[in-house]
Amino acid sequence: MVIHWKLAVVMAERNISNKELAEMIGKHPNSVSRLKRHRRLPRIDEDKLNSLCKALKCQPGDLIVYQEDEQDP
């Protein structure tokens, strides 16, 4: 099983830059950049997830996607 982190995808869909999101959530743009680079779910606390969802006007499920491993036949 793999849980994918889609922050980069959601930001691109909404045309939001690192700087813009950083201002919305009160973080440094470098922090947003580090968080955005993850492909798998990063360690993220409830407050940060809440602020991301509020700023991006999305649900946690928009940022996190579960995908089962492909099994060999």
Side-chain angles (χ1 to χ4, degrees), residues 35-50:
L35 193 57
K36 190 171 113 175
R37 277 194 302 250
H38 290 276
R39 296 292 179 239
R40 292 191 178 191
L41 182 64
R43 291 184 185 259
I44 185 168
D45 62 30
E46 181 181 350
D47 290 337
K48 191 177 290 182
L49 182 58
N50 185 48

Side-chain angles (χ1 to χ4, degrees), residues 1 4-6 8-9 12 14 19 23 25 29-30 34 40 43 45 50-52 55 58 64 71 73:
M1 120 185 119
H4 294 281
W5 179 241
K6 294 179 41 180
V9 172
R14 288 162 174 73
K19 183 178 178 183
E23 289 172 1
I25 65 172
N30 289 345
R34 281 191 300 273
R40 292 191 178 191
R43 291 184 185 259
D45 62 30
N50 185 48
S51 64
L52 288 170
C58 69
I64 303 166
Q71 300 289 330

Side-chain angles (χ1 to χ4, degrees), residues 46-73:
E46 181 181 350
D47 290 337
K48 191 177 290 182
L49 182 58
N50 185 48
S51 64
L52 288 170
C53 289
K54 184 176 180 180
L56 296 168
K57 296 180 177 66
C58 69
Q59 296 294 313
D62 297 329
L63 297 171
I64 303 166
V65 177
Y66 170 79
Q67 183 178 14
E68 290 192 34
D69 289 336
E70 294 182 18
Q71 300 289 330
D72 291 342

Side-chain angles (χ1 to χ4, degrees), residues 3-22:
I3 299 178
H4 294 281
W5 179 241
K6 294 179 41 180
L7 178 61
V9 172
V10 173
M11 287 176 65
E13 289 172 351
R14 288 162 174 73
N15 198 30
I16 295 175
S17 70
N18 291 0
K19 183 178 178 183
E20 290 170 320
L21 184 59

